Amino acid sequence: MLDDLAKFGVPVVMFSGGEPLMREDIFELIGRATLLDLRSVLSTNGTLIDASVADRLRQVGVGYVGVSLDGIGEVHDRFRGQEGAFARALAGLRHCRQAGLKVGLRFTITNHNVSQLDGVFSLLAEEDIPRACFYHLAPVGRGAKMPGGNLSAQASRDVLDRIIDHTAELHRRGMKKEILTVDNHADGPYLVLRLLREGSARAREVLAMLEACGGNASGTGIGCVSWDGQVHPDQFWRHASVGNVRQRPFSQIWTDPSNPLLAALRNRRPLLKGRCRMCRFLDACGGNLRVRAEAAGDLWGDDPACYLTDEEITATDTVL
């Protein structure tokens, strides 16, 4: 599969799970990816990374290690159902840093841990961690079994402001961290609107970059291969398979024009309904996370996690 991905021109492969370090052949796989000039990224809980594992990851050429945290200290332990999980995850991060690996945090924001946001930014500064990805919850799979996990629209806006404020403060202190928000493409337009409110001359430039990226890439720039070989439009769409790499190469599955779900995702604009259809930020957002809209009852309806107001998505700012 890795050979096929390399020939197909895939730039990055993320080894995720579950816990990828439980695979006995994980170092062989990452080494093969490196040999093929595929950038490999590891998404891990960090608890299995001691000094020797970190050194092996460096030797096989892993490009980045993202360690998942759900909070600080006992908050993370309670999420993980295991006492000491936070301490071991932090030790794993430190071992990676000492081995010279690029590392970062992966934090999924829910109502149950949103209070931990300030602590996570403090950890970034204290541990000299260069990167953090803040994920919005996708209420599918196990995410659907987390009652009360989703933030309200106002809480989502407040969280984005806190993330922006913390990031700006770190940069003012000379700590230029890479801070990403993931799985809610309303975040990009919200940042543009905030720049406009603050009178920043960069608002138009930022919007142009967002439009160049195109927003959500499920079924286009992102694909997922499960443990059993099933191919999905993204990591959340495990209930919909578009093929299996044990039967056909990924490159053939991904370029098959006859698959209805992939075809629809690649020409989604005429299918979108409701607020998405009238949104001036559609080129920057891409209709947000379609699997979340599907979970709410309509694949092409509104993504319920979009927190932009009707006025914001239909205004006619001459600045933009």
Side-chain angles (χ1 to χ4, degrees), residues 208-240:
M209 288 192 294
L210 291 167
E211 290 176 342
C213 291
N216 176 262
S218 300
T220 57
I222 295 174
C224 173
V225 182
S226 284
W227 60 272
D228 55 357
Q230 298 291 346
V231 179
H232 312 283
D234 62 32
Q235 67 271 35
F236 303 113
W237 229 311
R238 303 300 178 99
H239 53 281

PDB file of all heavy atoms in Angstrom, residues 208-240:
ATOM      1  N   ALA A 208      -7.688  34.844   1.277  1.00  0.00           N
ATOM      2  CA  ALA A 208      -7.174  34.280   0.017  1.00  0.00           C
ATOM      3  C   ALA A 208      -6.458  32.953   0.268  1.00  0.00           C
ATOM      4  O   ALA A 208      -6.587  32.007  -0.521  1.00  0.00           O
ATOM      5  CB  ALA A 208      -6.238  35.280  -0.655  1.00  0.00           C
ATOM      6  N   MET A 209      -5.714  32.869   1.366  1.00  0.00           N
ATOM      7  CA  MET A 209      -5.024  31.614   1.693  1.00  0.00           C
ATOM      8  C   MET A 209      -6.024  30.510   2.018  1.00  0.00           C
ATOM      9  O   MET A 209      -5.868  29.363   1.600  1.00  0.00           O
ATOM     10  CB  MET A 209      -4.061  31.828   2.861  1.00  0.00           C
ATOM     11  CG  MET A 209      -2.839  32.640   2.495  1.00  0.00           C
ATOM     12  SD  MET A 209      -1.550  32.612   3.771  1.00  0.00           S
ATOM     13  CE  MET A 209      -2.359  33.481   5.108  1.00  0.00           C
ATOM     14  N   LEU A 210      -7.064  30.875   2.762  1.00  0.00           N
ATOM     15  CA  LEU A 210      -8.095  29.896   3.105  1.00  0.00           C
ATOM     16  C   LEU A 210      -8.806  29.399   1.848  1.00  0.00           C
ATOM     17  O   LEU A 210      -9.078  28.197   1.703  1.00  0.00           O
ATOM     18  CB  LEU A 210      -9.106  30.510   4.071  1.00  0.00           C
ATOM     19  CG  LEU A 210      -8.599  30.799   5.488  1.00  0.00           C
ATOM     20  CD1 LEU A 210      -9.589  31.675   6.231  1.00  0.00           C
ATOM     21  CD2 LEU A 210      -8.349  29.499   6.254  1.00  0.00           C
ATOM     22  N   GLU A 211      -9.096  30.308   0.934  1.00  0.00           N
ATOM     23  CA  GLU A 211      -9.769  29.919  -0.304  1.00  0.00           C
ATOM     24  C   GLU A 211      -8.867  29.066  -1.175  1.00  0.00           C
ATOM     25  O   GLU A 211      -9.328  28.139  -1.863  1.00  0.00           O
ATOM     26  CB  GLU A 211     -10.223  31.163  -1.053  1.00  0.00           C
ATOM     27  CG  GLU A 211     -11.379  31.880  -0.359  1.00  0.00           C
ATOM     28  CD  GLU A 211     -11.779  33.170  -1.050  1.00  0.00           C
ATOM     29  OE1 GLU A 211     -10.973  33.696  -1.853  1.00  0.00           O
ATOM     30  OE2 GLU A 211     -12.904  33.666  -0.786  1.00  0.00           O
ATOM     31  N   ALA A 212      -7.563  29.321  -1.143  1.00  0.00           N
ATOM     32  CA  ALA A 212      -6.627  28.500  -1.906  1.00  0.00           C
ATOM     33  C   ALA A 212      -6.589  27.076  -1.372  1.00  0.00           C
ATOM     34  O   ALA A 212      -6.455  26.105  -2.133  1.00  0.00           O
ATOM     35  CB  ALA A 212      -5.225  29.118  -1.852  1.00  0.00           C
ATOM     36  N   CYS A 213      -6.732  26.932  -0.052  1.00  0.00           N
ATOM     37  CA  CYS A 213      -6.770  25.598   0.559  1.00  0.00           C
ATOM     38  C   CYS A 213      -8.115  24.914   0.308  1.00  0.00           C
ATOM     39  O   CYS A 213      -8.182  23.692   0.207  1.00  0.00           O
ATOM     40  CB  CYS A 213      -6.515  25.700   2.059  1.00  0.00           C
ATOM     41  SG  CYS A 213      -4.831  26.180   2.481  1.00  0.00           S
ATOM     42  N   GLY A 214      -9.194  25.690   0.245  1.00  0.00           N
ATOM     43  CA  GLY A 214     -10.495  25.150  -0.111  1.00  0.00           C
ATOM     44  C   GLY A 214     -11.319  24.585   1.023  1.00  0.00           C
ATOM     45  O   GLY A 214     -12.389  24.027   0.792  1.00  0.00           O
ATOM     46  N   GLY A 215     -10.826  24.688   2.257  1.00  0.00           N
ATOM     47  CA  GLY A 215     -11.616  24.188   3.387  1.00  0.00           C
ATOM     48  C   GLY A 215     -11.619  22.682   3.504  1.00  0.00           C
ATOM     49  O   GLY A 215     -10.611  22.020   3.232  1.00  0.00           O
ATOM     50  N   ASN A 216     -12.748  22.133   3.852  1.00  0.00           N
ATOM     51  CA  ASN A 216     -12.848  20.697   4.104  1.00  0.00           C
ATOM     52  C   ASN A 216     -12.382  19.879   2.907  1.00  0.00           C
ATOM     53  O   ASN A 216     -12.760  20.156   1.770  1.00  0.00           O
ATOM     54  CB  ASN A 216     -14.283  20.325   4.461  1.00  0.00           C
ATOM     55  CG  ASN A 216     -14.449  18.830   4.645  1.00  0.00           C
ATOM     56  OD1 ASN A 216     -14.883  18.141   3.745  1.00  0.00           O
ATOM     57  ND2 ASN A 216     -14.085  18.340   5.805  1.00  0.00           N
ATOM     58  N   ALA A 217     -11.570  18.864   3.175  1.00  0.00           N
ATOM     59  CA  ALA A 217     -10.977  18.048   2.114  1.00  0.00           C
ATOM     60  C   ALA A 217     -11.373  16.577   2.205  1.00  0.00           C
ATOM     61  O   ALA A 217     -10.695  15.720   1.636  1.00  0.00           O
ATOM     62  CB  ALA A 217      -9.457  18.182   2.145  1.00  0.00           C
ATOM     63  N   SER A 218     -12.462  16.270   2.912  1.00  0.00           N
ATOM     64  CA  SER A 218     -12.916  14.875   3.015  1.00  0.00           C
ATOM     65  C   SER A 218     -13.209  14.322   1.631  1.00  0.00           C
ATOM     66  O   SER A 218     -13.976  14.899   0.863  1.00  0.00           O
ATOM     67  CB  SER A 218     -14.190  14.794   3.869  1.00  0.00           C
ATOM     68  OG  SER A 218     -13.954  15.277   5.169  1.00  0.00           O
ATOM     69  N   GLY A 219     -12.585  13.219   1.288  1.00  0.00           N
ATOM     70  CA  GLY A 219     -12.822  12.598  -0.010  1.00  0.00           C
ATOM     71  C   GLY A 219     -12.074  13.238  -1.155  1.00  0.00           C
ATOM     72  O   GLY A 219     -12.179  12.787  -2.294  1.00  0.00           O
ATOM     73  N   THR A 220     -11.313  14.287  -0.856  1.00  0.00           N
ATOM     74  CA  THR A 220     -10.518  14.951  -1.904  1.00  0.00           C
ATOM     75  C   THR A 220      -9.041  14.896  -1.526  1.00  0.00           C
ATOM     76  O   THR A 220      -8.279  14.121  -2.068  1.00  0.00           O
ATOM     77  CB  THR A 220     -10.988  16.401  -2.114  1.00  0.00           C
ATOM     78  OG1 THR A 220     -10.909  17.119  -0.871  1.00  0.00           O
ATOM     79  CG2 THR A 220     -12.423  16.436  -2.613  1.00  0.00           C
ATOM     80  N   GLY A 221      -8.633  15.739  -0.575  1.00  0.00           N
ATOM     81  CA  GLY A 221      -7.235  15.753  -0.143  1.00  0.00           C
ATOM     82  C   GLY A 221      -6.952  14.899   1.067  1.00  0.00           C
ATOM     83  O   GLY A 221      -5.796  14.758   1.470  1.00  0.00           O
ATOM     84  N   ILE A 222      -7.994  14.331   1.660  1.00  0.00           N
ATOM     85  CA  ILE A 222      -7.836  13.476   2.840  1.00  0.00           C
ATOM     86  C   ILE A 222      -8.529  12.152   2.585  1.00  0.00           C
ATOM     87  O   ILE A 222      -9.659  12.114   2.085  1.00  0.00           O
ATOM     88  CB  ILE A 222      -8.451  14.129   4.099  1.00  0.00           C
ATOM     89  CG1 ILE A 222      -7.697  15.410   4.468  1.00  0.00           C
ATOM     90  CG2 ILE A 222      -8.444  13.162   5.284  1.00  0.00           C
ATOM     91  CD1 ILE A 222      -8.342  16.169   5.610  1.00  0.00           C
ATOM     92  N   GLY A 223      -7.855  11.059   2.925  1.00  0.00           N
ATOM     93  CA  GLY A 223      -8.467   9.743   2.879  1.00  0.00           C
ATOM     94  C   GLY A 223      -8.032   8.954   4.093  1.00  0.00           C
ATOM     95  O   GLY A 223      -7.057   9.299   4.761  1.00  0.00           O
ATOM     96  N   CYS A 224      -8.760   7.910   4.402  1.00  0.00           N
ATOM     97  CA  CYS A 224      -8.458   7.085   5.573  1.00  0.00           C
ATOM     98  C   CYS A 224      -8.511   5.616   5.185  1.00  0.00           C
ATOM     99  O   CYS A 224      -9.465   5.175   4.543  1.00  0.00           O
ATOM    100  CB  CYS A 224      -9.472   7.379   6.683  1.00  0.00           C
ATOM    101  SG  CYS A 224      -9.324   6.280   8.116  1.00  0.00           S
ATOM    102  N   VAL A 225      -7.479   4.873   5.585  1.00  0.00           N
ATOM    103  CA  VAL A 225      -7.471   3.428   5.409  1.00  0.00           C
ATOM    104  C   VAL A 225      -7.521   2.795   6.788  1.00  0.00           C
ATOM    105  O   VAL A 225      -6.632   3.004   7.612  1.00  0.00           O
ATOM    106  CB  VAL A 225      -6.214   2.949   4.652  1.00  0.00           C
ATOM    107  CG1 VAL A 225      -6.265   1.439   4.446  1.00  0.00           C
ATOM    108  CG2 VAL A 225      -6.083   3.658   3.303  1.00  0.00           C
ATOM    109  N   SER A 226      -8.557   2.018   7.060  1.00  0.00           N
ATOM    110  CA  SER A 226      -8.724   1.392   8.363  1.00  0.00           C
ATOM    111  C   SER A 226      -7.831   0.162   8.508  1.00  0.00           C
ATOM    112  O   SER A 226      -7.206  -0.305   7.554  1.00  0.00           O
ATOM    113  CB  SER A 226     -10.192   0.992   8.579  1.00  0.00           C
ATOM    114  OG  SER A 226     -10.982   2.123   8.875  1.00  0.00           O
ATOM    115  N   TRP A 227      -7.828  -0.379   9.700  1.00  0.00           N
ATOM    116  CA  TRP A 227      -6.990  -1.542  10.018  1.00  0.00           C
ATOM    117  C   TRP A 227      -7.285  -2.739   9.112  1.00  0.00           C
ATOM    118  O   TRP A 227      -6.413  -3.579   8.860  1.00  0.00           O
ATOM    119  CB  TRP A 227      -7.221  -1.936  11.474  1.00  0.00           C
ATOM    120  CG  TRP A 227      -8.673  -2.292  11.748  1.00  0.00           C
ATOM    121  CD1 TRP A 227      -9.661  -1.433  12.105  1.00  0.00           C
ATOM    122  CD2 TRP A 227      -9.277  -3.579  11.642  1.00  0.00           C
ATOM    123  NE1 TRP A 227     -10.857  -2.096  12.228  1.00  0.00           N
ATOM    124  CE2 TRP A 227     -10.651  -3.424  11.955  1.00  0.00           C
ATOM    125  CE3 TRP A 227      -8.809  -4.847  11.325  1.00  0.00           C
ATOM    126  CZ2 TRP A 227     -11.545  -4.491  11.955  1.00  0.00           C
ATOM    127  CZ3 TRP A 227      -9.701  -5.907  11.328  1.00  0.00           C
ATOM    128  CH2 TRP A 227     -11.048  -5.728  11.640  1.00  0.00           C
ATOM    129  N   ASP A 228      -8.517  -2.828   8.599  1.00  0.00           N
ATOM    130  CA  ASP A 228      -8.912  -3.981   7.780  1.00  0.00           C
ATOM    131  C   ASP A 228      -8.800  -3.705   6.287  1.00  0.00           C
ATOM    132  O   ASP A 228      -9.242  -4.502   5.464  1.00  0.00           O
ATOM    133  CB  ASP A 228     -10.348  -4.397   8.124  1.00  0.00           C
ATOM    134  CG  ASP A 228     -11.348  -3.255   7.985  1.00  0.00           C
ATOM    135  OD1 ASP A 228     -10.924  -2.119   7.675  1.00  0.00           O
ATOM    136  OD2 ASP A 228     -12.551  -3.489   8.198  1.00  0.00           O
ATOM    137  N   GLY A 229      -8.227  -2.548   5.918  1.00  0.00           N
ATOM    138  CA  GLY A 229      -8.041  -2.221   4.511  1.00  0.00           C
ATOM    139  C   GLY A 229      -9.146  -1.389   3.895  1.00  0.00           C
ATOM    140  O   GLY A 229      -9.023  -0.949   2.747  1.00  0.00           O
ATOM    141  N   GLN A 230     -10.245  -1.171   4.637  1.00  0.00           N
ATOM    142  CA  GLN A 230     -11.341  -0.365   4.099  1.00  0.00           C
ATOM    143  C   GLN A 230     -10.907   1.089   3.944  1.00  0.00           C
ATOM    144  O   GLN A 230     -10.228   1.653   4.812  1.00  0.00           O
ATOM    145  CB  GLN A 230     -12.567  -0.437   5.021  1.00  0.00           C
ATOM    146  CG  GLN A 230     -13.157  -1.819   5.186  1.00  0.00           C
ATOM    147  CD  GLN A 230     -13.817  -2.349   3.925  1.00  0.00           C
ATOM    148  OE1 GLN A 230     -14.073  -1.594   2.983  1.00  0.00           O
ATOM    149  NE2 GLN A 230     -14.093  -3.640   3.897  1.00  0.00           N
ATOM    150  N   VAL A 231     -11.303   1.699   2.833  1.00  0.00           N
ATOM    151  CA  VAL A 231     -10.960   3.088   2.536  1.00  0.00           C
ATOM    152  C   VAL A 231     -12.182   3.971   2.790  1.00  0.00           C
ATOM    153  O   VAL A 231     -13.295   3.648   2.356  1.00  0.00           O
ATOM    154  CB  VAL A 231     -10.494   3.240   1.077  1.00  0.00           C
ATOM    155  CG1 VAL A 231     -10.164   4.699   0.766  1.00  0.00           C
ATOM    156  CG2 VAL A 231      -9.276   2.359   0.820  1.00  0.00           C
ATOM    157  N   HIS A 232     -11.964   5.071   3.498  1.00  0.00           N
ATOM    158  CA  HIS A 232     -13.047   5.980   3.873  1.00  0.00           C
ATOM    159  C   HIS A 232     -12.704   7.405   3.433  1.00  0.00           C
ATOM    160  O   HIS A 232     -11.530   7.759   3.304  1.00  0.00           O
ATOM    161  CB  HIS A 232     -13.268   5.951   5.389  1.00  0.00           C
ATOM    162  CG  HIS A 232     -13.348   4.574   5.964  1.00  0.00           C
ATOM    163  ND1 HIS A 232     -14.469   3.784   5.849  1.00  0.00           N
ATOM    164  CD2 HIS A 232     -12.428   3.820   6.630  1.00  0.00           C
ATOM    165  CE1 HIS A 232     -14.247   2.619   6.437  1.00  0.00           C
ATOM    166  NE2 HIS A 232     -13.021   2.619   6.908  1.00  0.00           N
ATOM    167  N   PRO A 233     -13.720   8.256   3.235  1.00  0.00           N
ATOM    168  CA  PRO A 233     -13.459   9.637   2.804  1.00  0.00           C
ATOM    169  C   PRO A 233     -12.681  10.469   3.822  1.00  0.00           C
ATOM    170  O   PRO A 233     -12.038  11.435   3.469  1.00  0.00           O
ATOM    171  CB  PRO A 233     -14.855  10.218   2.592  1.00  0.00           C
ATOM    172  CG  PRO A 233     -15.734   9.034   2.355  1.00  0.00           C
ATOM    173  CD  PRO A 233     -15.167   7.957   3.216  1.00  0.00           C
ATOM    174  N   ASP A 234     -12.772  10.117   5.097  1.00  0.00           N
ATOM    175  CA  ASP A 234     -11.932  10.722   6.133  1.00  0.00           C
ATOM    176  C   ASP A 234     -11.980   9.795   7.346  1.00  0.00           C
ATOM    177  O   ASP A 234     -12.631   8.744   7.317  1.00  0.00           O
ATOM    178  CB  ASP A 234     -12.365  12.154   6.486  1.00  0.00           C
ATOM    179  CG  ASP A 234     -13.773  12.249   7.062  1.00  0.00           C
ATOM    180  OD1 ASP A 234     -14.224  11.306   7.752  1.00  0.00           O
ATOM    181  OD2 ASP A 234     -14.452  13.267   6.838  1.00  0.00           O
ATOM    182  N   GLN A 235     -11.285  10.180   8.405  1.00  0.00           N
ATOM    183  CA  GLN A 235     -11.141   9.285   9.556  1.00  0.00           C
ATOM    184  C   GLN A 235     -12.420   9.122  10.361  1.00  0.00           C
ATOM    185  O   GLN A 235     -12.506   8.222  11.198  1.00  0.00           O
ATOM    186  CB  GLN A 235     -10.005   9.787  10.461  1.00  0.00           C
ATOM    187  CG  GLN A 235     -10.268  11.121  11.163  1.00  0.00           C
ATOM    188  CD  GLN A 235      -9.825  12.309  10.354  1.00  0.00           C
ATOM    189  OE1 GLN A 235      -9.923  12.311   9.132  1.00  0.00           O
ATOM    190  NE2 GLN A 235      -9.326  13.352  11.031  1.00  0.00           N
ATOM    191  N   PHE A 236     -13.413   9.976  10.125  1.00  0.00           N
ATOM    192  CA  PHE A 236     -14.667   9.876  10.871  1.00  0.00           C
ATOM    193  C   PHE A 236     -15.718   9.052  10.140  1.00  0.00           C
ATOM    194  O   PHE A 236     -16.704   8.639  10.737  1.00  0.00           O
ATOM    195  CB  PHE A 236     -15.233  11.275  11.128  1.00  0.00           C
ATOM    196  CG  PHE A 236     -14.294  12.175  11.867  1.00  0.00           C
ATOM    197  CD1 PHE A 236     -13.753  13.284  11.258  1.00  0.00           C
ATOM    198  CD2 PHE A 236     -13.938  11.900  13.175  1.00  0.00           C
ATOM    199  CE1 PHE A 236     -12.869  14.114  11.926  1.00  0.00           C
ATOM    200  CE2 PHE A 236     -13.060  12.710  13.863  1.00  0.00           C
ATOM    201  CZ  PHE A 236     -12.522  13.828  13.236  1.00  0.00           C
ATOM    202  N   TRP A 237     -15.509   8.796   8.864  1.00  0.00           N
ATOM    203  CA  TRP A 237     -16.540   8.194   8.030  1.00  0.00           C
ATOM    204  C   TRP A 237     -16.381   6.672   7.984  1.00  0.00           C
ATOM    205  O   TRP A 237     -16.481   6.064   6.925  1.00  0.00           O
ATOM    206  CB  TRP A 237     -16.469   8.776   6.607  1.00  0.00           C
ATOM    207  CG  TRP A 237     -17.798   9.228   6.088  1.00  0.00           C
ATOM    208  CD1 TRP A 237     -18.977   8.530   6.090  1.00  0.00           C
ATOM    209  CD2 TRP A 237     -18.081  10.484   5.458  1.00  0.00           C
ATOM    210  NE1 TRP A 237     -19.972   9.282   5.523  1.00  0.00           N
ATOM    211  CE2 TRP A 237     -19.456  10.480   5.124  1.00  0.00           C
ATOM    212  CE3 TRP A 237     -17.315  11.599   5.149  1.00  0.00           C
ATOM    213  CZ2 TRP A 237     -20.078  11.548   4.492  1.00  0.00           C
ATOM    214  CZ3 TRP A 237     -17.925  12.669   4.527  1.00  0.00           C
ATOM    215  CH2 TRP A 237     -19.295  12.642   4.201  1.00  0.00           C
ATOM    216  N   ARG A 238     -16.159   6.060   9.130  1.00  0.00           N
ATOM    217  CA  ARG A 238     -15.877   4.626   9.163  1.00  0.00           C
ATOM    218  C   ARG A 238     -17.094   3.778   8.782  1.00  0.00           C
ATOM    219  O   ARG A 238     -16.960   2.593   8.518  1.00  0.00           O
ATOM    220  CB  ARG A 238     -15.379   4.204  10.556  1.00  0.00           C
ATOM    221  CG  ARG A 238     -14.135   4.952  11.038  1.00  0.00           C
ATOM    222  CD  ARG A 238     -12.961   4.756  10.107  1.00  0.00           C
ATOM    223  NE  ARG A 238     -11.795   5.500  10.550  1.00  0.00           N
ATOM    224  CZ  ARG A 238     -10.773   4.998  11.227  1.00  0.00           C
ATOM    225  NH1 ARG A 238     -10.768   3.725  11.546  1.00  0.00           N
ATOM    226  NH2 ARG A 238      -9.761   5.763  11.579  1.00  0.00           N
ATOM    227  N   HIS A 239     -18.282   4.377   8.776  1.00  0.00           N
ATOM    228  CA  HIS A 239     -19.489   3.632   8.424  1.00  0.00           C
ATOM    229  C   HIS A 239     -19.717   3.595   6.919  1.00  0.00           C
ATOM    230  O   HIS A 239     -20.676   2.984   6.451  1.00  0.00           O
ATOM    231  CB  HIS A 239     -20.716   4.247   9.115  1.00  0.00           C
ATOM    232  CG  HIS A 239     -20.861   5.717   8.858  1.00  0.00           C
ATOM    233  ND1 HIS A 239     -20.121   6.662   9.530  1.00  0.00           N
ATOM    234  CD2 HIS A 239     -21.664   6.414   8.008  1.00  0.00           C
ATOM    235  CE1 HIS A 239     -20.456   7.867   9.098  1.00  0.00           C
ATOM    236  NE2 HIS A 239     -21.393   7.748   8.172  1.00  0.00           N
ATOM    237  N   ALA A 240     -18.844   4.268   6.144  1.00  0.00           N
ATOM    238  CA  ALA A 240     -18.993   4.286   4.681  1.00  0.00           C
ATOM    239  C   ALA A 240     -17.661   3.935   4.041  1.00  0.00           C
ATOM    240  O   ALA A 240     -16.693   4.691   4.161  1.00  0.00           O
ATOM    241  CB  ALA A 240     -19.472   5.650   4.204  1.00  0.00           C
TER     242      ALA A 240
END
